[in-house]
């Protein structure tokens, strides 16, 4: 660091057990920079942070040694990361980036630096806190809309309406942006970003951000709904869940990535343990590993054999071509809980499976 003119900070900003954003990595880095950062250096923060964190905390921590004074002999700005896990290299060369500095001159310098590396549009923001607000807004928008569609799905199930058919038709309208229901929303971004917004509101004396909080509650409750669908299917089959063999397909927080952060699978598996089921896991990204206290399977076929029920949590591409007839022929019983709607419900019925999917009628 002492030999560097430019320092990029791309550090994690997770939540603690109380759903309060944890900025300890950034604070620790800033504290060290206070002692070793060379004068006239530029610090750029790529981490996702609450609006105002740069101006209210990072600047004061880096300045605490007295060696460095903001806008005199050290400078700071932001360029929030904007990459989708699993598609990072694609996104680096396709998605616009937000940039902002502690003043307009620093913003121009940051733009020059990133133009040298990224062949994408660089959107200049008026200040660091506005850039951070944009980053949070885009992700919280998704979190809220997933919650909206998931809540509709609960009603559509009772009405015998297929949520997917509703969404596929609705997205033909020019101003409808489609979001899909599921077993919950995990990962290091969406849940954390919503709680960052909620925490920010409390910091500024707002009682609550009602829509954001409700969205979080809905998304966090969807794993419970998956368990309710499972109980209903076992009731139809005339079986007890206790001592049954249940296979969880997919534990990653999203398709086609190796990541467990805040995955809905953890809550689902915890509930299955409480129900005293025998649980196995197959995920192509986690083979022969200990995940959520369970040793994962290494091969799909052996995982399916002797299973009474399969709960699909993550829609990895490997799972999209699963043949219902194959499942019927290999499973001990024939219950499928499809939280991602990757198996056609009518094909499942023809194969003789008891099928439950989020947002569709019983099959």
């Amino acid at each position: 660091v002492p030999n560097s003119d430019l320092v990029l900070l791309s550090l994690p900003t997770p939540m603690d057990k109380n759903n309060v954003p944890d900025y300890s990595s950034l604070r620790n880095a800033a504290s060290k920079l206070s002692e070793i950062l060379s004068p006239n250096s530029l610090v750029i923060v790529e981490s996702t942070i609450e609006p105002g964190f740069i101006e209210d905390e990072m600047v004061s921590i880096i300045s605490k040694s007295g060696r460095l004074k903001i806008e005199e002999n050290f400078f700071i700005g932001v360029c929030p990361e904007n990459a989708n896990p699993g598609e990072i290299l694609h996104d680096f060369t396709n998605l616009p980036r937000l940039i902002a500095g502690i003043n307009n001159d620093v913003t121009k310098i940051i733009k020059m630096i990133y133009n040298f590396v990224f062949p994408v549009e660089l959107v200049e923001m008026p200040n660091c806190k506005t850039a951070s607000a944009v980053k949070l807004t885009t992700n919280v928008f998704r979190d809220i809309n997933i919650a909206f569609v998931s809540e509709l799905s609960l009603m559509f199930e009772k009405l015998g309406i297929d949520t997917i058919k509703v969404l596929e038709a609705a997205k033909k309208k020019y101003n409808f942006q489609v979001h899909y229901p599921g077993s919950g929303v995990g990962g290091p971004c969406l849940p954390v970003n919503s709680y960052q917004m909620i925490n920010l509101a409390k910091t500024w004396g707002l009682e609550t951000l009602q829509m954001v909080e409700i969205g979080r509650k809905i998304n966090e409750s969807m794993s419970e709904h998956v368990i309710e669908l499972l109980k209903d299917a076992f009731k139809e089959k005339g079986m007890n869940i206790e001592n049954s063999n249940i296979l969880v397909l997919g534990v990653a927080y999203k398709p086609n990535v190796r990541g467990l952060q805040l995955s809905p699978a953890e809550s689902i598996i915890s509930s299955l343990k409480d129900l005293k089921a025998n649980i196995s896991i197959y995920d192509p990204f986690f083979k022969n590993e200990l995940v959520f206290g369970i040793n994962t399977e290494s091969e799909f076929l052996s995982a399916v054999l002797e299973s009474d029920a399969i709960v699909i949590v993550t829609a990895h591409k490997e799972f999209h071509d699963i043949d219902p007839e194959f499942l019927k022929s290999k499973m001990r019983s024939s219950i499928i809980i499809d939280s991602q709607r990757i198996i056609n419900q009518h094909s499942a019925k023809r194969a003789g499976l008891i099928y439950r999917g989020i947002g569709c009628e019983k099959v």
Side-chain angles (χ1 to χ4, degrees):
V1 170
N3 296 322
S4 301
D5 300 307
L6 172 67
V7 178
L8 303 182
L9 299 181
S10 185
L11 296 166
T13 54
M15 295 184 299
D16 65 18
K17 62 182 180 180
N18 297 314
N19 293 329
V20 175
D22 176 5
Y23 295 126
S24 58
S25 292
L26 279 171
R27 291 186 179 110
N28 291 338
S31 183
K32 292 176 182 177
L33 289 175
S34 176
E35 302 294 336
I36 63 175
L37 187 69
S38 295
N40 301 314
S41 294
L42 170 61
V43 177
I44 302 176
V45 178
E46 293 206 356
S47 305
T48 302
I49 51 178
E50 294 172 22
F53 181 77
I54 295 294
E55 297 89 341
D56 299 335
E57 290 203 47
M58 288 293 287
V59 168
S60 61
I61 296 173
I62 295 175
S63 303
K64 70 178 182 178
S65 68
R67 297 188 314 115
L68 304 170
K69 292 185 179 180
I70 190 66
E71 296 189 72
E72 289 187 17
N73 66 346
F74 102 88
F75 308 89
I76 195 167
V78 298
C79 182
E81 60 85 12
N82 194 29
N84 186 26
E87 300 176 345
I88 290 176
L89 294 180
H90 170 271
D91 292 348
F92 273 171
T93 55
N94 287 274
L95 293 184
R97 300 291 297 268
L98 306 170
I99 55 170
I102 199 68
N103 58 44
N104 288 335
D105 289 338
V106 174
T107 300
K108 300 296 183 185
I109 292 171
I110 294 174
K111 187 172 185 179
M112 291 173 62
I113 292 169
Y114 277 80
N115 263 330
F116 187 76
V117 180
F118 295 101
V120 298
E121 179 185 4
L122 299 175
V123 183
E124 295 184 42
M125 305 305 297
N127 47 52
C128 297
K129 63 183 178 182
T130 304
S132 297
V134 174
K135 171 61 190 291
L136 291 188
T137 298
T138 57
N139 280 356
V140 175
F141 172 85
R142 288 179 57 208
D143 197 33
I144 290 172
N145 278 279
I146 292 170
F148 166 64
V149 173
S150 292
E151 189 171 43
L152 285 182
S153 296
L154 304 183
M155 180 176 67
F156 289 163
E157 285 176 17
K158 296 186 180 299
L159 295 174
I161 296 172
D162 188 338
T163 304
I164 300 302
K165 292 189 181 300
V166 171
L167 295 175
E168 291 302 307
K171 73 180 184 181
K172 295 182 181 296
K173 187 177 181 182
Y174 72 95
N175 61 351
F176 183 84
Q177 187 172 30
V178 67
H179 293 76
Y180 292 99
S183 56
V185 177
C189 295
L190 269 60
V192 177
N193 296 162
S194 287
Y195 281 115
Q196 285 174 310
M197 280 290 204
I198 293 168
N199 186 67
L200 181 66
K202 292 178 180 178
T203 300
W204 284 93
L206 298 176
E207 185 174 339
T208 182
L209 288 179
Q210 294 183 45
M211 186 173 293
V212 182
E213 288 196 342
I214 291 170
R216 274 286 82 223
K217 289 178 181 178
I218 293 170
N219 284 331
E220 289 168 5
S221 71
M222 289 306 294
S223 59
E224 299 172 16
H225 183 61
V226 172
I227 297 298
E228 291 305 312
L229 292 176
L230 180 69
K231 290 178 178 178
D232 186 65
F234 266 83
K235 182 178 180 181
E236 179 180 330
K237 189 73 174 177
M239 293 175 57
N240 291 322
I241 293 180
E242 185 173 349
N243 293 322
S244 65
N245 297 333
I246 298 179
L247 169 63
V248 175
L249 284 186
V251 288
Y253 70 84
K254 66 172 289 183
N256 310 316
V257 301
R258 178 182 167 83
L260 296 172
Q261 302 98 314
L262 302 176
S263 171
E266 183 172 16
S267 177
I268 291 170
I269 289 169
S270 176
S271 295
L272 292 175
K273 289 179 179 178
D274 290 341
L275 293 169
K276 296 181 171 55
N278 303 313
I279 309 162
S280 57
I281 295 171
Y282 176 76
D283 187 306
F285 291 86
F286 299 93
K287 295 183 178 182
N288 291 322
E289 297 185 41
L290 186 67
V291 174
F292 304 139
I294 297 172
N295 290 309
T296 62
E297 303 292 326
S298 61
E299 199 252 337
F300 177 69
L301 176 58
S302 61
V304 171
L305 293 175
E306 297 303 309
S307 61
D308 294 306
I310 292 176
V311 179
I312 302 173
V313 178
T314 312
H316 292 310
K317 59 184 179 182
E318 180 175 322
F319 301 154
H320 281 259
D321 295 325
I322 294 176
D323 181 8
E325 296 283 354
F326 168 82
L327 295 179
K328 176 64 176 176
S329 67
K330 301 300 181 183
M331 296 175 66
R332 186 167 72 179
S333 295
S334 51
I335 294 172
I336 306 294
I337 310 300
D338 185 0
S339 75
Q340 302 298 318
R341 300 294 302 278
I342 60 175
I343 293 179
N344 182 277
Q345 63 194 90
H346 302 295
S347 298
K349 182 176 182 179
R350 287 193 296 269
L353 298 171
I354 295 176
Y355 177 92
R356 298 287 187 274
I358 290 180
C360 75
E361 58 187 316
K362 296 180 182 180
V363 175

